[in-house]
Amino acid sequence: MRRKQERSEYLLAVCERHDRMRSIARAKRKTSKDVGFWSGNEKEAGAKRVSGRRLVMKTSLSWIKAYVPGLDVDAQEYADAMTLSGTKVEGYEKLDADLDKIVIGQIEKIEKHPDADKLIVCQVNVGTGTVQIVTGAPNVKEGDKVPVVLAGGRVAGGHEPGQKVVGGVKIKKGKLRGVESCGMMCSIEELGSTRDMYPEAPESGIYIFKEDAEVGASAISALGLDDVVFEYEVTSNRVDCFSVVGIAREAAATFRKEFTPPSVAGTGNGEDVNDYIKVTVKDEDLCPRYTARLVKNVKIGPSPEWMQRRLASVGIRPINNLVDITNYVMEEYGQPMHAYDLDTIAGGEIIVRRAEKGERFVTLDGQERLMSESELMICDGEKSIGIAGIMGGENSMITDDVHTVLFEAACFDGTAIRKSSKKVGLRTDASGKFEKGLDPNNAGAAMDRACQLVEELGIGEVVGGIVDVYGKKKEPVRVAFDAGAINGLLGTDISKEEMLSYFKMLDLGYDEAAGEIIVPTFRQDLSCMADLAEEVARFYGYDNIPTTLPKGEATAGKLSFKLRIEEVARDIAEFCGFSQGMTYSFESPKVFDRLRIPEDSPLRQAVEIMNPLGEDYSIMRTISLNGMLASLATNYNRRNKNVRLYELGNVYLPKALPLTELPEERMQLTLGMYGDGDFFSMKGVVEEFFEKVGLHGKEVYDPDAGRPYLHPGRQADIIYDGVAVGYLGEIHPDVADTYGIGERAYVAVIDMPEITKRATFDRKYKGIARYPAVTRDISMVMPKEILAGQIEEVIEAKGGAYLESYALFDLYEGVQIKEGCKSMAYSIVFRAKDRTLEEADVSFAMEKILKALEDMGAELRK
């Protein structure tokens, strides 16, 4: 009983609501003569709401399917797939979510309710039979075809316009004042919409279908409510997706379906629009393109039902055929349009210019606005008639009395539109699109589409030709295509042919001869190889890209090989007591004289700095010694003892002067010291470093280095594999005096790139020797000119397979040795890995060594 009472109360409320709605509609009634328009303006055209800086993009699934005929997916499947392919769906709304079991019924008989003056009893044919429905609607009559929700069905609900019961209201059989009612006839509000979106609906009462409506068919489908509206999050660089065509192209590529955009044929009579109107663009930087066409003999009326349904599905209120076409094209192509009454344009001329300072202008919403010189205006021969890209003027608005319409489709500078919109305090759907930076080539296509619709709908006569002011035409961009590079970037193994198939689906061209992708102008976001890789990734499927580790040593969780070598250099230097220093790469040309470098030396060919701090910092250094010696001198003058410094820094060697390319930058390890230590101490540091980076004692020291800044008898070039990898020695006394160093100073400079080429961290394990070693000591007298390195070369060459090691343990020069000679004693160790050596094995090797040494001029000391 309680449920029946609730049901009766709801139906009575519905009857009372029809009366209230009729009075509300009368209060809000407005004639079409009050309406001017700029497509995309909410007040004039009922366009979508623009909030802050965010422009909402919506499309209905049925509109998308019109351009992707093979698309057969449900709402959730569509949303998921589009989001994964890069067109993010923020949400969607099923227009019939709260509607169920609603059919088209025809009223066959109407009788008065026996117990209620405001109620009537209707016999309604619903196709499968006749049902009795009690209603209070005042606008129905016999023969009308109306939407009927059958018993058990659901309607949107709500007792006032704008109110809605989530999930709908379920309709059951019941009695109204004692008369049985098996269902309910619906108003457009009870179907979840409003009269704004269905202007043919009555001001109050039940919605009436046209006479050709099929009885028993779905009323939801007939009204276009069996649709889904999707809302997208579109990034600002994808201006092509602020249109239904752009979204449809993405949907076709996502679902691998054929994309069939609107087919636009030529329009216009034999006249020339240039005979009617002249266009002058004075500020081409703010208006790169302006197109205009003319329509004569305009007939204002309602737009066709299919157009009204598509506009209503995305939240745009249908107004009339002319307004609806401009809004339709704006949604379809993403190109806002504007229309002027030609009779209000003075002098038959359009001038696009900046506003005059202090100019006042009344826009279509009736507001007077103060303009500045930064705003772009659309003017005729006498006055301003619109704020470019934002809103038209009240003085050129379209009324029902219009006879000739001038269509405008232009492209304005996005930044300028955004600033102007903010300054005048007026932001419309059109300005929201313009400020993204539209494709100027799209303006002509949108204009042709609008004129085609004008002819198809019989609105008027399109004048032939087009006024097209287009300064520098925007051309397609070419981007180099390398399938291997894209696979390397993505970590995939996609074939070139598959990548090209993705590009083809997106209307990207391919120049096989040049190996370039031709990017159409509507894709302003594609400009480099990484952009192409993104296109491949999103249509291949982000979820299909395998997990791979990043390539390259720097991203593999360790230092690069070069940096590891430099790290070893720091460790060795600091272990040996050196402190790190850092000196300027900028130096004075006077450095070369201080270091006694010859005038013809390549080291004097230095890179000069164009804007130096001063003469002392006017060239890039070609040798690293100046900074080190200056630092040693500073420490010496401050009475610091036993100073040891090192630096890792670049020298800059030009390949040619004047510069034609960047100079070569070579990292140098520079060691400098004074106090405790000598030439051999510095040599030991160098050898320790070489040992740690895998250069195992194969370096040779050439005393004939001939470096003028080093002591002539205490210097050597460091030779490895026949290449000089550095040098070391004592600073020449004259150079030391020049820098103010009062005692012997020693330096070593190692060229790190040469070391890095030859270094290795590979180590081989050698087991502990199982067999005993055999040691032989020899003492040789030889001329002083023979170097220890020469002796060691002989030992290595003649020692044979069993030679394990050797070491110099004595060096003697004195009265017991003849003049001009010296005595050197070596300990030589032999060992076999597989057996104990016999005397014959060792004696044979020693005889070869002694024979070779004697040939050099050495004698066995007795």
Side-chain angles (χ1 to χ4, degrees):
M1 291 295 294
R2 180 180 178 183
R3 289 184 178 179
K4 289 183 178 180
Q5 182 179 0
E6 290 176 350
R7 159 67 184 160
S8 299
E9 291 175 353
Y10 174 73
L11 291 177
L12 283 172
V14 169
C15 296
E16 294 172 358
R17 189 184 64 173
H18 287 315
D19 291 335
R20 287 197 298 271
M21 286 176 59
R22 181 165 49 186
S23 60
I24 291 171
R26 286 197 188 102
K28 291 185 175 181
R29 188 176 297 138
K30 187 177 184 181
T31 66
S32 62
K33 289 186 179 181
D34 296 329
V35 179
F37 68 93
W38 182 302
S39 68
N41 180 266
E42 185 178 351
K43 173 187 178 294
E44 289 76 26
K48 298 173 293 184
R49 182 168 299 278
V50 183
S51 175
R53 301 241 63 83
R54 180 172 175 268
L55 177 63
V56 175
M57 181 61 202
K58 293 183 178 181
T59 69
S60 65
L61 186 58
S62 62
W63 203 344
I64 296 296
K65 287 182 177 180
Y67 305 139
V68 190
L71 187 61
D72 185 17
V73 292
D74 61 27
Q76 191 60 53
E77 184 181 355
Y78 176 88
D80 292 343
M82 290 293 283
T83 299
L84 284 175
S85 68
T87 308
K88 184 182 177 183
V89 177
E90 285 194 328
Y92 62 86
E93 178 187 7
K94 293 183 178 181
L95 301 182
D96 60 349
D98 297 332
L99 308 177
D100 187 33
K101 297 179 68 174
I102 303 177
V103 299
I104 299 175
Q106 186 171 23
I107 301 175
E108 295 182 338
K109 185 177 180 181
I110 297 178
E111 297 176 339
K112 289 185 177 181
H113 192 288
D115 296 323
D117 294 337
K118 293 185 177 181
L119 299 180
I120 56 176
V121 180
C122 303
Q123 304 299 321
V124 184
N125 178 11
V126 294
T128 56
T130 301
V131 296
Q132 179 172 286
I133 298 175
V134 178
T135 180
N139 66 315
V140 295
K141 62 182 184 301
E142 292 181 356
D144 284 346
K145 295 179 179 179
V146 297
V148 176
V149 53
L150 303 176
R154 286 181 294 115
V155 292
H159 285 237
E160 295 290 347
Q163 294 182 351
K164 187 176 181 180
V165 178
V166 177
V169 175
K170 192 171 184 179
I171 301 301
K172 296 182 179 180
K173 290 183 180 180
K175 290 185 178 181
L176 280 176
R177 299 287 178 91
V179 178
E180 186 177 41
S181 182
C182 301
M184 187 177 76
M185 292 181 285
C186 306
S187 66
I188 197 64
E189 287 76 18
E190 286 159 337
L191 295 174
S193 189
T194 66
R195 190 169 175 267
D196 282 343
M197 300 304 171
Y198 290 82
E200 75 279 9
E203 294 180 357
S204 61
I206 304 301
Y207 183 87
I208 309 296
F209 285 103
K210 295 180 180 179
E211 294 182 358
D212 57 355
E214 180 183 353
V215 175
S218 170
I220 299 173
S221 298
L223 290 168
L225 294 173
D226 56 342
D227 206 348
V228 185
V229 177
F230 296 92
E231 184 174 316
Y232 305 86
E233 179 183 327
V234 182
T235 55
S236 295
N237 65 334
R238 287 303 305 272
V239 293
D240 59 303
C241 286
F242 284 105
S243 67
V244 176
V245 169
I247 296 291
R249 184 185 291 108
E250 291 290 312
T254 299
F255 293 98
R256 308 294 194 272
K257 301 295 182 182
E258 183 181 0
F259 174 54
T260 57
S263 178
V264 180
T267 56
N269 57 22
E271 297 179 277
D272 186 357
V273 66
N274 291 281
D275 296 334
Y276 288 83
I277 192 73
K278 176 185 176 183
V279 175
T280 302
V281 178
K282 291 187 176 181
D283 294 280
E284 292 187 358
D285 57 324
L286 301 183
C287 180
R289 189 179 190 187
Y290 189 100
T291 66
R293 295 194 71 176
L294 214 64
V295 179
K296 301 193 306 181
N297 304 321
V298 173
K299 301 174 183 176
I300 298 294
S303 56
E305 188 175 287
W306 63 267
M307 181 175 287
Q308 292 187 28
R309 297 292 180 263
R310 286 185 179 177
L311 291 175
S313 69
V314 295
I316 296 180
R317 175 170 57 92
I319 302 293
N320 57 47
N321 48 14
L322 201 58
V323 175
D324 292 351
I325 282 178
T326 59
N327 278 324
Y328 185 86
V329 172
M330 182 187 69
E331 292 301 307
E332 187 177 53
Y333 278 72
Q335 171 66 52
M337 296 184 64
H338 191 60
Y340 302 95
D341 187 340
L342 185 64
D343 293 337
T344 65
I345 298 177
E349 182 179 16
I350 292 290
I351 301 173
V352 184
R353 59 164 176 81
R354 282 179 167 86
E356 296 176 357
K357 186 176 181 180
E359 179 179 352
R360 295 185 177 275
F361 181 72
V362 180
T363 49
L364 280 170
D365 56 3
Q367 299 293 316
E368 184 180 73
R369 303 180 187 276
L370 180 63
M371 314 305 295
S372 67
E373 294 173 322
S374 61
E375 278 82 60
L376 189 67
M377 304 296 292
I378 309 297
C379 310
D380 60 18
E382 299 176 353
K383 60 188 181 299
S384 297
I385 58 176
I387 306 175
I390 301 177
M391 184 177 283
E394 193 176 54
N395 55 10
S396 61
M397 65 189 300
I398 297 290
T399 68
D400 284 351
D401 298 327
V402 65
H403 297 289
T404 306
V405 168
L406 177 69
F407 275 136
E408 167 197 292
C411 182
F412 303 111
D413 179 72
T415 302
I417 294 297
R418 178 179 59 82
K419 291 180 177 179
S420 297
S421 177
K422 185 175 182 179
K423 185 171 292 187
V424 301
L426 179 62
R427 189 165 189 264
T428 61
D429 200 355
S431 67
K433 288 183 183 293
F434 276 124
E435 69 185 26
K436 302 295 186 289
L438 300 184
D439 174 19
N441 292 330
N442 192 40
M447 177 65 78
D448 292 340
R449 174 62 167 162
C451 291
Q452 180 191 44
L453 291 172
V454 167
E455 288 189 350
E456 287 181 358
L457 303 184
I459 296 175
E461 181 183 356
V462 178
V463 175
I466 183 173
V467 177
D468 191 355
V469 180
Y470 197 176
K472 184 178 179 181
K473 185 176 181 181
K474 188 172 183 179
E475 300 292 344
V477 174
R478 288 175 171 264
V479 179
F481 171 60
D482 184 345
I486 291 176
N487 277 322
L489 187 62
L490 299 178
T492 55
D493 187 19
I494 307 172
S495 68
K496 175 182 177 181
E497 291 71 22
E498 186 173 356
M499 292 184 188
L500 291 175
S501 70
Y502 299 151
F503 298 149
K504 185 177 180 181
M505 291 187 301
L506 295 169
D507 288 344
L508 306 183
Y510 177 55
D511 185 341
E512 186 171 3
E516 295 176 329
I517 298 298
I518 304 172
V519 181
T521 54
F522 63 79
R523 286 301 302 271
Q524 301 178 22
D525 60 310
L526 302 182
S527 59
C528 63
M529 182 77 74
D531 296 330
L532 297 182
E534 182 183 6
E535 297 303 291
V536 171
R538 66 192 187 97
F539 289 108
Y540 177 72
Y542 293 113
D543 53 332
N544 294 324
I545 297 178
T547 301
T548 57
L549 291 175
K551 294 182 180 179
E553 291 187 40
T555 57
K558 63 179 182 179
L559 295 174
S560 67
F561 186 76
K562 172 180 175 293
L563 293 179
R564 290 172 65 192
I565 298 297
E566 293 175 8
E567 187 176 50
V568 170
R570 291 188 186 92
D571 291 344
I572 294 298
E574 291 169 5
F575 176 79
C576 294
F578 289 77
S579 299
Q580 186 173 13
M582 184 176 294
T583 60
Y584 286 113
S585 296
F586 305 152
E587 290 186 337
S588 168
K590 298 176 183 178
V591 165
F592 302 123
D593 294 332
R594 299 180 73 184
L595 293 175
R596 305 174 72 244
I597 293 175
E599 292 293 335
D600 59 349
S601 173
L603 293 177
R604 288 184 177 265
Q605 305 300 312
V607 177
E608 295 185 4
I609 301 172
M610 294 179 64
N611 54 342
L613 299 175
E615 184 182 2
D616 289 343
Y617 303 97
S618 61
I619 63 170
M620 303 296 292
R621 67 183 176 186
T622 59
I623 185 170
S624 60
L625 282 185
N626 176 66
M628 178 58 68
L629 294 179
S631 297
L632 291 177
T634 300
N635 281 273
Y636 180 81
N637 293 329
R638 293 179 180 176
R639 302 189 181 188
N640 292 326
K641 298 180 179 180
N642 302 320
V643 174
R644 295 189 173 195
L645 299 174
Y646 80 93
E647 179 185 12
L648 276 167
N650 288 330
V651 294
Y652 304 86
L653 307 177
K655 299 175 183 177
L657 289 176
L659 286 178
T660 56
E661 55 183 314
L662 292 176
E664 181 183 9
E665 299 182 28
R666 298 188 72 85
M667 178 68 70
Q668 308 288 291
L669 170 61
T670 306
L671 302 164
M673 70 178 189
Y674 67 80
D676 291 344
D678 55 16
F679 177 91
F680 296 102
S681 301
M682 184 67 80
K683 181 171 175 283
V685 176
V686 172
E687 290 176 346
E688 181 74 16
F689 170 59
F690 281 17
E691 175 71 21
K692 288 296 182 182
V693 295
L695 279 65
H696 301 294
K698 296 181 181 180
E699 67 276 6
V700 177
Y701 297 89
D702 180 8
D704 299 324
R707 298 183 182 271
Y709 38 82
L710 298 180
H711 193 293
R714 298 168 189 162
Q715 61 173 284
D717 279 346
I718 307 170
I719 310 299
Y720 195 94
D721 287 343
V723 177
V725 297
Y727 59 88
L728 76 161
E730 181 184 327
I731 294 298
H732 195 288
D734 292 345
V735 174
D737 288 343
T738 300
Y739 279 91
I741 303 174
E743 59 179 283
R744 292 182 176 182
Y746 301 90
V747 294
V749 177
I750 299 174
D751 189 33
M752 296 300 287
E754 292 293 345
I755 298 300
T756 303
K757 289 179 186 177
R758 297 164 173 80
T760 176
F761 290 108
D762 295 338
R763 300 291 185 269
K764 292 184 179 180
Y765 170 75
K766 293 182 179 180
I768 298 174
R770 298 176 57 188
Y771 299 95
V774 178
T775 303
R776 293 287 186 268
D777 294 342
I778 58 171
S779 180
M780 306 291 295
V781 177
M782 64 196 73
K784 290 183 178 181
E785 292 79 17
I786 297 177
L787 303 177
Q790 293 173 285
I791 302 297
E792 293 171 0
E793 286 181 4
V794 170
I795 295 173
E796 282 193 5
K798 304 299 182 179
Y802 302 128
L803 178 65
E804 183 177 80
S805 63
Y806 54 86
L808 174 68
F809 67 87
D810 183 61
L811 174 64
Y812 175 73
E813 295 181 24
V815 293
Q816 298 181 11
I817 305 299
K818 62 182 179 180
E819 188 177 350
C821 292
K822 60 183 177 181
S823 172
M824 299 182 71
Y826 277 88
S827 177
I828 305 174
V829 180
F830 298 91
R831 193 194 304 267
K833 297 180 179 180
D834 55 350
R835 63 185 176 88
T836 301
L837 290 175
E838 298 179 357
E839 179 62 27
D841 298 323
V842 178
S843 297
F844 180 73
M846 288 300 298
E847 288 175 1
K848 293 178 67 177
I849 292 172
L850 292 173
K851 178 68 172 60
L853 292 175
E854 289 175 357
D855 293 342
M856 290 176 59
E859 297 177 2
L860 188 65
R861 186 177 179 185
K862 299 178 181 178

